[in-house]
Amino acid sequence: MILPPFELHQPSTLDEAMATAQKLRDEGMTFDYMAGGTDVLPNYKNRLNARRQVIGLGGVAELTSIDDTSIGALARIDDVARDERVLALWPTLAKAAGLIASPPLRRLGTVGGNLLLDTRCYYFNQSEFWRASKGYCLKADGDVCLVVPQKETCYATYSGDLAPILLVHDAELEFRSPDSGRRVKLRDFFAYDGTRRFEKAADEVLVRIHVEPTALATDYLKLRARDTIEYPVMGVAMGVATKDGLVTDLRVAVTGSEAVPLYYGDLGLMGAAVDASTADRVHEALLDRIQCYRNVPFPPGYRKAMGAEFGRSLFLQLTGQQA
Amino acid sequence: MSSDRHEKLHPHDDAVQRHGLIGKRIPLIDAMRKSTGQALYTDDLAPNACLVGKILRSPHPHAKILAIDTSAALAMPGVHAVLTGREAPNSFGVLPVSQDETALAVDKAIFIGDGVAAVAADDEETALAALRAIRVDYEPLRAFLDLQDSLEEVPEELRLHKKTVGGTNIHKEVRQNFGDVDGEFERALWKKRMSFRFPGIQHAFTEPLVVIAHYDADERMTVWSAQQVPHYLHRALAKVLEMPMHRIRVIRPTVGGGFGGKSDPFPHEMVAALLSRKCRRPVRILFDREEVFYNNHGRHPSKIEVGLAIGHDKKVAALDIDALIDGGAWGSFGVVTTYYNGVLANGPYRVNNFRYRGRRVYSNRPASGAMRGHGAVNTRFAYEVLLDEAAHDLGFDPAQFRIDNALPAYTKTINEFRITTNGIVECIERACAMAKWKDKHGKLPFGRGIGIAGGFYISGSALPIHWDGIPQSTVHLKADFDGGITIHSLAAEIGQGSDTMLAQITADVLGVPIGQCRVYSDSTDTAPIDLGSYSSRVTFMAGNAVRRAAEEMRSLVIGGAADLTGYPPELFVLEDAHAINATNREVRVPFVEALRRAMKDRGALQTSGCYSSPPPMGGSHKGAAAGLSPTYSFQAFVVEVEVDLMTGKPKVQEVWAAHDCGRALNPLAVEAQIEGCVHMGLGQALCESFDYNKGNVENPNFLDYRMLSSTETPDIHAILVETYDPEGPFGAKECGEGPLLPALPAVANALFDAIGIRFYEMPITADKIWRALQKQKKSAAKAAAQGASR
Amino acid sequence: MTSASMTSSDESALPTSSDARPEKRVLHLRVNGSDHVVAARPYALLLDVLREDLALVGTKRGCDMGTCGCCNVLIDGKSVMSCLVLAHEASGKNIETIEGLAFEGAELHPLSAAWAECGGSQCGFCTPGFIVTCHELLAEEQAPSRQRIAEAISGNVCRCTGYKKILDAVEVAAARMRAAPRHETDARSAAL
């Protein structure tokens, strides 16, 4: 299956990449950055919003390093899953990375790519032929959403695995563009719907993810139809701290539900007792908040219920009430 | 009577006595090629000058084709040929009674993905650009996307094909009735009727479909295609191309998996040949995975109602089956499938009152056809689940209940199947023993359970599709000066090991190492006709054919040894690559010398062996031929399963799969077939589903069409039960399909043991289990509340 | 088509005749220790270049979408799907395919040998991808458990075997490689 034609630019440094981006922009051309390619290339094969110009970042080695406070956006997912520093500082990040897709895909895919993963939907992740036969959707080539028929909002599902735990850790994203650089909190980054997804200019490239060390007890649970290859159709990350039998910090984030990963904060449970009834309140609060659509595997009601179950289970486990 | 023959074969047959190759664990003879990347599949053979063929597909499920304008495509540089359906209107199909396919749609397109036009171009991009330049005017028609809709009487324009039942879109309706089903239901000790639902599933072989065709300078057509039945493709090509068969050569390169999915002649094979003839250049059509799903004829989506009555003697009193199956766009093997959904429920248990109605409908979806366990799988599920319910309700052990109902060996079923060897009881007993059934059934903690199910399957269809009197299998052997034995057969090696089986039997009979045999089974030019690799027929039929050819060759070689030594031929045996005088083993002639002597006056030795099923052995009722087989395989599985009570996720822990294969010619290969069957059966039970979104296939890819991965596949214990079939080659019968059958119901029965819930719809996914558990909890709470209030 | 919208492909990204495509560029590839120079379009996939330009057809095309593992090759020792790697992105890297991994000189590699003996292949179409993946595994771990092997191959799909005989083959190969330690990596890097 061939790709649509595009010109490939292969910078070997970030500065070169920015120079290329500036040049393309100045010439009025649209382009995509490509890191590991495991998201971009299948979409391109399906002729999904393919660009005529691609800046391949595979040669930009400076963006792969990991230190005590940050991870290069081009670090491969598999390297992050096994990195001793990550395992020690942010063990749940390593765990979530290790649950992504399948081993060969983890060797290609990058942390940045997973964070910025395009959203997914049965009506979107299909070939040009399929979409033509169905009638194009809002997210590509059409003007009506085929999941929830209207013309404003795309309901495709955010399917990255790393966002929830990075939301729990209050990570910051560092971007570069030809003109400047900026840092933004991950919690402020995702917005809008399944098409617009987040606040990022086309020429901005994600370079690093900054994560502070944490004392929280954390974990991540993922629902998927099989133990491998699959994207999360529900994923919950939680961080908890307790003192004297009371919750002193609680952070919950969810993926695989709506068009963006959602940070739910403490669910209004700060100061609650560390007991089974608080776990039930976590369950209740998540049932209240999680919203799913019929556009990825498993019925929405089940996925939502699992999100709530995961929340309760994580709370019990992270507060030592359950093995 | 016939049981004497049974006795004779075991353990006194010659192979056992000679310690020959039969029964030995032998790696498949093409294994080294495959594990080094040297095995060549169709796409690996593309000549450099191959054009790329691409097919334009209908975006409508049902539409008249008003006009097609191909002029712009044809005018594009790099485009060498364009084809439309009207240029090749001759219909074809695997069954003579269902010749309802054409190379491309002629007057109307009948599913999303149906081929409408095709191009051959220099490269893929040019071909795709040419497809975009073709203009097709469609007039959409009402689409038939639900089983019930196809039962309606409709105007001719809305019928998918000319031949349908009574003005509807029903393709085939069959009825059978034996005994007094209604009476038995009235008198029954226990009875239940239940409706079961099955989505379609797909073969999902890893090699996408690909074909290369070349109409060459000699005006001969050569077609390379990954085929299970080169012979049927050969016939269909002759019909569509209007060429004599002898000017067409079909070559079957290494095949990357079939499972029934490569056993029809297919439109793209016709298209490639037609395109090549138009531009006189080789043309390759390689499918995207999505196209494979459109082109494929998967297992029929089905709605099956089954009624089971148990009599006061604790035996199955009556079985009443009504199957409604979705055939999709074309006939394919569907007439056979329609029968199989009923008739193959007549074992492995005795049924004296049996009624069946089977209906197959056409619909505007990709066609359904033959898939591993063809026609038997879904009904088997329904039947075995109801048996389990009966056993549970009546307080019987489900394993013993099955043993009590088992057919004996050497009997006839009510629909007059001739049963010979039958290992069902041994299968149940050995699977239960290994699984520690008695310690576990009903005794495991909530969430964990164990279940059992049986099955039986044909070992080759006794009646060939084409009633032309040609033997079902013929094998030619040639031995020449080099001592090598060349085996010519058209039985298709598709990974199941048929080449190895042919070589193994030949080597065993001739007493030479297997490496001295070489198998050429890839070309219709050199191989005698064999009906190919489907209906679990190859070991039984081609195995018998090759054995006969080898035995004739043995006599010739022994003749040479007798000439050389002066001893009479009847004293000689062939062993250790020698002809040996059995009464005086000092007298030994190397095989090659005996062979050369035998060649003295006649040149290379050539022998031929063939196999045809025994003369008619079934009944005279309508449809009596369906399901007839020279012998049947039997199987029983025990499955242990665990359910995650929070998510409902089922995990099969272990499978004990006992299969009566008659005789394991090569235990390594038999185990491999059983393990593969179990994996595929568990997939249908737990996660596989070919989903539709109205007329569209929702999941035409390997991400969303889910097969069990390596980490979800349980430990599978293959248990080989050998019953030494009197007519099978060295006692063998099939092992490639039957072992799929018990997998589905054994899982469902294990789930019942685990959580006390029955499932009547495939696949049994986590969300369905979770929902059922929620419901169970609620009704338990309600019952407790009511109990408390009393 | 809403060409003004950002939610559609660039118009020229649709299939076009050859003159509208970006030019082929020279591509240097090191495959199985040999250097190759081919001309490939910027958007050519490594899988296509291996199969069509270098005639290394042992690497199979299964799904084109990274979901089956039939096209796996080693790039700098890591098993990845060549249907999701641009050929030009693999330039300068050390690529190994089944053709290079099956033999060491005239000797069959223990993985390929064990695969054949244990029945790891039936149709064999997935086999090259599996063996490539298992080369990576056994380079990292000398004695992986069956569970660990199953995880390592979980990105590869086999429709024939039910995986049991594949696990058998990897265990047997690992045991043989432990018994007769090899200096595979050293030998290979010396050769480069």
Side-chain angles (χ1 to χ4, degrees):
Chain A
M1 199 174 179
I2 52 166
L3 285 162
F6 57 77
E7 192 53 73
L8 176 68
H9 307 270
Q10 295 182 278
S12 51
T13 65
L14 182 57
D15 288 342
E16 267 180 52
M18 290 304 96
T20 307
Q22 179 155 21
K23 183 166 168 284
L24 292 174
R25 194 187 62 188
D26 291 351
E27 288 168 14
M29 289 196 260
T30 57
F31 62 90
D32 271 332
Y33 292 109
M34 185 184 82
T38 54
D39 189 31
V40 169
L41 293 180
N43 281 355
Y44 269 39
K45 286 182 180 185
N46 282 335
R47 268 79 189 165
L48 289 165
N49 305 329
R51 300 283 157 255
R52 182 72 182 194
Q53 306 288 330
V54 171
I55 301 178
L57 300 172
V60 185
E62 66 204 88
L63 301 185
T64 60
S65 63
I66 299 171
D67 60 35
D68 280 354
T69 58
S70 75
I71 297 168
L74 291 181
R76 304 274 175 180
I77 289 165
D78 184 61
D79 292 337
V80 170
R82 303 191 207 197
D83 186 86
E84 281 183 19
R85 198 190 309 250
V86 176
L87 282 162
L89 291 173
W90 314 289
T92 299
L93 181 64
K95 175 184 172 179
L99 293 174
I100 290 171
S102 71
L105 290 168
R106 292 198 290 272
R107 279 148 182 71
L108 283 174
T110 64
V111 172
N114 188 264
L115 263 180
L116 304 183
L117 198 69
D118 204 349
T119 53
R120 300 189 60 82
C121 175
Y122 278 142
Y123 294 95
F124 173 70
N125 299 101
Q126 302 283 3
S127 70
E128 160 72 19
F129 167 76
W130 194 101
R131 293 181 295 115
S133 68
K134 177 58 90 181
Y136 296 101
C137 81
L138 185 61
K139 187 167 162 62
D141 307 323
D143 54 11
V144 176
C145 171
L146 300 176
V147 178
V148 181
Q150 38 74 47
K151 297 185 171 190
E152 301 301 318
T153 305
C154 166
Y155 285 87
T157 300
Y158 180 80
S159 306
D161 273 293
L162 301 180
I165 186 61
L166 289 172
L167 286 166
V168 165
H169 286 314
D170 198 11
E172 286 188 17
L173 306 183
E174 180 186 341
F175 287 96
R176 267 285 299 277
S177 74
D179 316 304
S180 62
R182 65 167 175 136
R183 274 171 74 147
V184 59
K185 275 179 176 292
L186 186 61
R187 290 175 188 172
D188 300 329
F189 175 63
F190 288 101
Y192 307 118
D193 65 3
T195 299
R196 289 171 291 176
R197 296 153 53 210
F198 37 63
E199 197 75 65
K200 181 180 102 61
D203 59 2
E204 277 189 308
V205 64
L206 177 60
V207 293
R208 293 200 85 73
I209 298 123
H210 297 271
V211 201
E212 295 299 324
T214 177
L216 293 173
T218 60
D219 204 353
Y220 172 66
L221 289 177
K222 170 176 181 174
L223 178 73
R224 50 180 168 173
R226 286 176 296 175
D227 293 341
T228 184
I229 302 182
E230 308 270 351
Y231 291 92
V233 290
M234 174 49 58
V236 181
M238 185 181 283
V240 189
T242 60
K243 200 176 173 201
D244 304 329
L246 299 177
V247 173
T248 55
D249 198 351
L250 176 66
R251 307 173 186 185
V252 182
V254 170
T255 185
S257 57
E258 299 189 44
V260 294
L262 290 164
Y263 181 63
Y264 290 135
D266 65 5
L267 301 171
L269 293 171
M270 200 66 86
V274 175
D275 61 16
S277 75
T278 303
D280 289 341
R281 287 169 67 195
V282 170
H283 182 268
E284 238 170 77
L286 286 173
L287 261 192
D288 226 35
R289 287 166 169 79
I290 294 173
Q291 185 71 32
C292 299
Y293 300 90
R294 192 175 294 278
N295 55 5
V296 292
F298 285 141
Y302 173 68
R303 286 160 53 208
K304 175 178 166 141
M306 287 307 102
E309 290 290 348
F310 287 173
R312 169 160 54 200
S313 174
L314 285 167
F315 183 81
L316 290 172
Q317 172 216 320
L318 294 174
T319 54
Q321 300 182 71
Q322 187 185 75
Chain B
M1 31 161 252
S2 10
S3 60
D4 294 343
R5 297 163 66 197
H6 179 207
E7 287 303 310
K8 249 186 236 159
L9 267 144
H10 171 58
H12 308 298
D13 79 64
D14 56 342
V16 173
Q17 288 198 325
R18 284 188 297 104
H19 305 289
L21 281 167
I22 300 301
K24 295 275 163 61
R25 298 176 75 84
I26 299 172
L28 302 186
I29 59 172
D30 54 6
M32 285 297 182
R33 255 174 283 151
K34 287 173 173 172
S35 67
T36 53
Q38 293 181 6
L40 294 175
Y41 299 77
T42 305
D43 193 49
D44 305 338
L45 301 172
N48 285 334
C50 246
L51 299 178
V52 173
K54 280 276 168 195
I55 297 174
L56 182 70
R57 298 181 179 281
S58 166
H60 302 287
H62 198 185
K64 265 193 213 165
I65 297 169
L66 302 177
I68 304 181
D69 181 358
T70 60
S71 54
L74 202 49
M76 288 175 68
V79 174
H80 297 270
V82 180
L83 182 76
T84 61
R86 297 225 165 138
E87 297 173 64
N90 289 0
S91 65
F92 66 93
V94 66
L95 300 183
V97 295
S98 309
Q99 301 279 302
D100 57 11
E101 299 186 43
T102 45
L104 293 165
V106 178
D107 297 318
K108 61 181 189 175
I110 53 176
F111 66 100
I112 292 177
D114 198 358
V116 172
V119 301
D122 282 337
D123 56 40
E124 191 173 345
E125 277 184 80
T126 306
L128 290 173
L131 290 189
R132 290 179 70 84
I134 296 175
R135 294 279 159 253
V136 185
D137 289 338
Y138 295 100
E139 179 189 320
L141 297 168
R142 174 188 166 194
F144 293 82
L145 302 173
D146 184 277
L147 279 168
Q148 294 300 328
D149 292 354
S150 296
L151 302 177
E152 273 177 44
E153 206 174 311
V154 290
E156 193 173 350
E157 177 183 75
L158 292 181
R159 291 175 215 152
L160 270 64
H161 295 285
K162 287 199 182 80
K163 267 173 65 181
T164 61
V165 178
T168 65
N169 271 312
I170 298 174
H171 167 215
K172 180 75 182 171
E173 174 159 359
V174 305
R175 285 169 192 270
Q176 290 191 344
N177 193 0
F178 300 93
D180 174 18
V181 169
D182 290 329
E184 288 299 332
F185 266 83
E186 269 173 38
R187 292 185 286 274
L189 168 68
W190 182 98
K191 63 193 167 191
K192 182 158 186 172
R193 288 182 189 275
M194 186 52 68
S195 181
F196 296 79
R197 283 275 189 171
F198 306 83
I201 65 158
Q202 295 280 309
H203 311 83
F205 33 74
T206 46
E207 179 200 21
L209 288 169
V210 54
V211 59
I212 301 168
H214 189 197
Y215 189 67
D216 64 20
D218 298 329
E219 301 191 334
R220 288 177 189 272
M221 179 66 77
T222 303
V223 174
W224 291 262
S225 190
Q227 259 290 345
Q228 293 179 236
V229 194
H231 177 62
Y232 295 160
L233 173 58
H234 198 186
R235 281 175 178 263
L237 283 165
K239 189 177 176 201
V240 173
L241 297 169
E242 296 180 353
M243 283 174 70
M245 282 178 82
H246 64 80
R247 296 196 77 79
I248 301 171
R249 174 170 60 146
V250 175
I251 296 181
R252 172 203 56 78
T254 313
V255 176
F259 320 112
K262 294 172 179 170
S263 53
D264 293 60
F266 285 111
H268 67 288
E269 295 168 324
M270 310 300 142
V271 169
L274 289 159
L275 285 171
S276 176
R277 192 165 65 179
K278 276 193 120 174
C279 58
R280 303 296 290 262
R281 294 185 45 182
V283 173
R284 164 173 55 159
I285 297 180
L286 167 65
F287 277 177
D288 294 342
R289 183 53 63 180
E290 179 180 1
E291 292 181 284
V292 177
F293 279 105
Y294 295 151
N295 191 81
N296 205 39
H297 302 176
R299 198 184 306 297
H300 289 65
S302 310
K303 178 172 172 246
I304 302 179
E305 287 173 25
V306 177
L308 175 67
I310 304 296
H312 292 270
D313 58 354
K314 303 178 182 174
K315 297 281 174 65
V316 172
L319 187 59
D320 192 5
I321 302 171
D322 188 351
L324 179 57
I325 64 176
D326 187 346
W330 291 317
S332 183
F333 280 93
V335 169
V336 179
T337 324
T338 312
Y339 276 109
Y340 278 7
N341 264 281
V343 299
L344 293 181
N346 279 287
Y349 317 110
R350 172 70 76 197
V351 182
N352 286 326
N353 301 279
F354 174 78
R355 182 165 60 198
Y356 176 54
R357 176 172 72 158
R359 286 173 297 170
R360 180 184 195 264
V361 301
Y362 288 122
S363 70
N364 293 114
R365 288 177 165 166
S368 306
M371 180 170 169
R372 203 175 205 174
H374 182 195
V377 174
N378 294 346
T379 309
R380 171 64 43 197
F381 174 82
Y383 185 12
E384 296 282 339
V385 165
L386 286 182
L387 275 176
D388 216 64
E389 290 199 54
H392 180 263
D393 290 355
L394 296 170
F396 306 151
D397 176 83
Q400 187 60 46
F401 185 48
R402 285 172 168 82
I403 290 173
D404 293 343
N405 275 285
L407 286 167
Y410 296 98
T411 186
K412 270 195 173 176
T413 63
I414 188 74
N415 62 335
E416 300 192 53
F417 288 166
R418 183 195 70 158
I419 304 294
T420 56
T421 52
N422 178 349
I424 183 63
V425 172
E426 190 182 342
C427 285
I428 295 172
E429 287 174 347
R430 286 180 59 190
C432 284
M434 265 191 84
K436 300 196 167 53
W437 170 265
K438 289 210 165 93
D439 301 340
K440 292 178 179 169
H441 184 252
K443 295 170 185 159
L444 295 170
F446 187 78
R448 198 164 178 121
I450 193 164
I452 188 169
F456 100 132
Y457 200 67
I458 56 170
S459 190
S461 175
L463 271 93
I465 285 174
H466 297 273
W467 297 49
D468 52 12
I470 293 170
Q472 289 152 302
S473 281
T474 304
V475 176
H476 294 169
L477 298 184
K478 187 203 81 171
D480 210 335
F481 255 80
D482 61 357
I485 296 108
T486 308
I487 302 167
H488 291 288
S489 162
L490 205 55
E493 170 63 62
I494 55 170
Q496 87 282 42
S498 64
D499 279 358
T500 305
M501 180 276 296
L502 295 171
Q504 189 183 357
I505 289 179
T506 304
D508 182 89
V509 171
L510 296 179
V512 297
I514 195 166
Q516 212 161 318
C517 301
R518 50 215 173 193
V519 182
Y520 286 79
S521 60
D522 63 348
S523 169
T524 55
D525 265 10
T526 50
I529 290 178
D530 185 287
L531 298 187
S533 297
Y534 73 106
S535 91
S536 272
R537 53 177 298 286
V538 171
T539 293
F540 199 89
M541 297 188 180
N544 270 318
V546 75
R547 185 182 186 176
R548 283 169 196 163
E551 284 171 352
E552 196 189 329
M553 179 72 76
R554 179 170 64 190
S555 318
L556 296 175
V557 173
I558 284 176
D563 283 352
L564 279 172
T565 58
Y567 288 98
E570 54 271 21
L571 296 184
F572 283 89
V573 293
L574 297 184
E575 279 176 35
D576 305 328
H578 284 76
I580 298 170
N581 181 333
T583 60
N584 174 8
R585 295 185 71 88
E586 309 272 286
V587 180
R588 294 162 63 90
V589 180
F591 178 85
V592 179
E593 284 179 29
L595 166 66
R596 288 178 180 168
R597 175 66 182 214
M599 287 171 57
K600 194 163 168 279
D601 298 320
R602 54 184 294 165
L605 303 187
Q606 303 200 54
T607 63
S608 178
C610 67
Y611 177 86
S612 294
S613 292
M617 48 190 176
S620 54
H621 56 276
K622 190 158 170 40
L628 282 184
S629 175
T631 189
Y632 296 86
S633 72
F634 294 84
Q635 48 282 142
F637 290 7
V638 173
V639 163
E640 190 166 341
V641 70
E642 186 165 10
V643 174
D644 180 327
L645 296 174
M646 179 171 82
T647 61
K649 186 173 180 179
K651 166 108 179 143
V652 175
Q653 302 286 345
E654 266 180 282
V655 178
W656 296 269
H659 174 73
D660 165 15
C661 59
R663 172 82 176 278
L665 298 180
N666 179 356
L668 184 70
V670 177
E671 286 169 13
Q673 286 301 300
I674 296 173
E675 289 156 12
C677 274
V678 170
H679 175 258
M680 199 172 269
L682 294 181
Q684 187 180 356
L686 298 171
C687 50
E688 290 182 37
S689 175
F690 194 47
D691 299 325
Y692 292 100
N693 190 318
K694 300 208 174 92
N696 284 85
V697 175
E698 191 162 84
N699 54 349
N701 57 68
F702 274 178
L703 179 62
D704 292 317
Y705 184 83
R706 300 191 176 78
M707 294 171 271
L708 281 185
S709 70
S710 54
T711 48
E712 290 148 326
T713 306
D715 200 0
I716 303 163
H717 309 279
I719 302 167
L720 311 187
V721 171
E722 299 187 299
T723 51
Y724 301 89
D725 193 85
E727 295 174 29
F730 301 99
K733 45 192 189 181
E734 76 93 24
C735 63
E737 299 193 66
L740 191 148
L741 298 169
L744 288 70
V747 167
N749 293 340
L751 282 169
F752 178 77
D753 191 48
I755 56 175
I757 298 170
R758 294 279 175 199
F759 294 92
Y760 304 106
E761 191 184 314
M762 295 279 111
I764 312 171
T765 48
D767 55 308
K768 291 180 190 161
I769 296 175
W770 179 81
R771 205 159 283 286
L773 283 168
Q774 293 298 108
K775 211 170 134 191
Q776 184 187 53
K777 255 189 230 164
K778 270 185 202 144
S779 43
K782 202 171 156 193
Q786 280 170 353
S789 69
R790 247 184 246 129
Chain C
M1 188 131 318
T2 53
S3 55
S5 156
M6 283 297 287
T7 59
S8 63
S9 294
D10 291 352
E11 191 63 33
S12 54
L14 294 165
T16 47
S17 53
S18 55
D19 49 344
R21 300 173 205 159
E23 288 294 313
K24 286 186 176 180
R25 299 203 310 237
V26 172
L27 165 64
H28 294 265
L29 280 185
R30 165 159 287 197
V31 187
N32 300 326
S34 300
D35 288 321
H36 299 271
V37 183
V38 297
R41 296 199 194 273
Y43 52 97
L45 292 159
L46 179 60
L47 172 62
D48 291 325
V49 171
L50 289 173
R51 286 184 58 83
E52 307 284 332
D53 295 280
L54 304 184
L56 291 168
V57 293
T59 302
K60 301 302 180 197
R61 178 195 311 280
C63 73
D64 280 310
M65 290 288 183
T67 49
C68 76
C70 290
C71 67
N72 281 16
V73 299
L74 295 184
I75 297 184
D76 291 342
K78 303 229 178 216
S79 175
V80 299
M81 282 127 175
S82 62
C83 73
L84 294 184
V85 174
L86 295 178
H88 284 278
E89 293 267 286
S91 180
K93 301 197 171 155
N94 185 25
I95 301 160
E96 293 168 280
T97 69
I98 185 67
E99 286 89 348
L101 295 168
F103 293 91
E104 297 174 296
E107 291 283 307
L108 198 59
H109 188 278
L111 260 171
S112 288
W115 217 273
E117 288 164 34
C118 298
S121 305
Q122 286 182 35
C123 86
F125 196 78
C126 68
T127 302
F130 269 96
I131 290 183
V132 164
T133 298
C134 292
H135 269 268
E136 183 197 27
L137 172 68
L138 295 188
E140 282 180 8
E141 294 181 42
Q142 289 205 322
S145 65
R146 281 178 89 84
Q147 179 61 33
R148 178 70 192 100
I149 299 166
E151 283 164 17
I153 61 174
S154 66
N156 295 69
V157 171
C158 171
R159 189 56 161 167
C160 295
T161 62
Y163 301 102
K164 180 165 185 167
K165 296 198 184 315
I166 288 176
L167 300 183
D168 292 348
V170 182
E171 279 194 324
V172 166
R176 285 186 193 159
M177 288 164 73
R178 287 197 301 277
R182 36 207 334 103
H183 305 286
E184 203 181 334
T185 342
D186 299 351
R188 204 172 292 140
S189 45
L192 294 178

